[in-house]
Amino acid sequence: MALATASCADGTEEPEAEGVPATTLCGSSLDAGARRALDRLSGKSALRERKGVPFDRAVPRLRRRADVPTTRTELCRVHRPAEDAADALFTVEFVHVDALMDWPDRLPADAESYRVGIYGSSSGRGAEIVFPCTGGLHRNGPPFLMGTLSLPGFHRPAGAAGRSDLPAAEQGRTAMTILRSVARALAAKLGCVAEAGIPADGVKPQPPTAYREPSHPLKDWRWWWRHRA
C-alpha cells in the first residue's frame, strides 16, 4: 500500500501511519475473495491489526477450553492506521457453542442466510458461522465453534472512525466472505476442515425466509452416547 502524506501547519509534510499487507491480516488467513471483500469494506484504505490470539496459540487454547462455552478467543481486530484499535473496522472472535444453544427460529428481515457449516447469517452488524469440529476439540466439551465477525462502526454516524460506507446488506456480505475464509483456515488448523462444511469458495446469500433452524446433534442421544466422556 502506498504511503500517504499529510500537510502540517508549519508547511512540512509528515507521513501518515502505514498499513500492512492484507495477506498478513488475521493470521494470513484471508484468501483472494476475502481480500477483495476487505477492499470493499474499507474503501481500499490502508489497514493495521491489533494482534489477537495467533493461530498457533488459538488452536491449543480452543482445544483445551472446549468445555467452557463462554470463553471467547479474539483472533484479530483490524482498523485503519490513523484510527485507534478501539474503533475497529471489524473484529473476529471464536467461542464454543453450548449444548443448550437455542437456534433462532427465524432471522430478522435485514439478515441473510447462508449454507455454510451448521448455520450462517449476516447483516449490517456483521456475520456468524457455526461449524462442527468433533475431531479437533476436546471430547468432553461441545464439539461446535461459532465464529463471529462484528462491525462495530455500523451504528456510528457517516465519516466516524471504524465505519464503512457500504450499504448495510453489502457490509454483511463482505463480513461473511471474510469470516468464511478465517473460519475455514481455523478449521484446517484444528484438523476438521472436511467436517466443518465451510466451502473454499464464496457462499451466496439467501433471504431470511430461506433460513431453516438447524437440528442440533446433541439432542440425539445416540450421538451423545458415542461421544460421552
Side-chain angles (χ1 to χ4, degrees), residues 21 91 163:
T91 301
R163 180 183 167 91

Side-chain angles (χ1 to χ4, degrees), residues 72-76 90-95 119 121 125-131 145-151 175 179 182-183:
R72 290 187 174 273
T73 299
E74 182 180 295
L75 249 127
C76 59
F90 71 85
T91 301
V92 176
E93 294 181 315
F94 287 87
V95 63
Y119 164 83
S121 69
R125 296 172 292 279
E128 58 187 17
I129 295 173
V130 177
F131 63 93
L145 285 174
M146 172 183 281
T148 62
L149 187 152
S150 58
L151 300 171
L179 179 60
V182 180

Side-chain angles (χ1 to χ4, degrees), residues 2-23:
L3 187 67
T5 58
S7 297
C8 299
D10 59 2
T12 62
E13 290 186 344
E14 292 184 357
E16 291 182 353
E18 187 176 13
V20 298
T23 52

Side-chain angles (χ1 to χ4, degrees), residues 182-201:
V182 180
R184 181 176 170 83
L186 179 62
K189 293 286 187 181
L190 285 164
C192 58
V193 67
E195 177 191 16
I198 303 172
D201 299 322

Side-chain angles (χ1 to χ4, degrees), residues 65-132:
R65 305 296 300 278
D67 57 336
V68 185
T70 57
T71 300
R72 290 187 174 273
T73 299
E74 182 180 295
L75 249 127
C76 59
R77 181 177 295 191
V78 174
H79 61 98
R80 297 182 178 94
E83 298 171 353
D84 191 271
D87 297 316
L89 184 67
F90 71 85
T91 301
V92 176
E93 294 181 315
F94 287 87
V95 63
H96 294 104
V97 177
D98 190 275
L100 302 177
M101 175 178 176
D102 291 326
W103 303 103
D105 56 0
R106 63 179 62 85
L107 295 182
D110 64 343
E112 291 180 311
S113 175
Y114 296 82
R115 296 184 184 277
V116 54
I118 295 174
Y119 164 83
S121 69
S122 75
S123 69
R125 296 172 292 279
E128 58 187 17
I129 295 173
V130 177
F131 63 93

Side-chain angles (χ1 to χ4, degrees), residues 23-61:
T23 52
T24 67
L25 297 174
C26 298
S28 301
S29 63
L30 303 188
D31 58 23
R35 295 195 297 271
R36 288 192 296 270
L38 181 55
D39 276 348
R40 295 196 299 275
L41 185 68
S42 67
K44 297 187 177 180
S45 298
L47 297 169
R48 293 192 69 83
E49 178 180 7
R50 190 188 83 168
K51 294 295 182 183
V53 179
F55 271 74
D56 60 352
R57 285 175 47 204
V59 167
R61 175 177 175 173

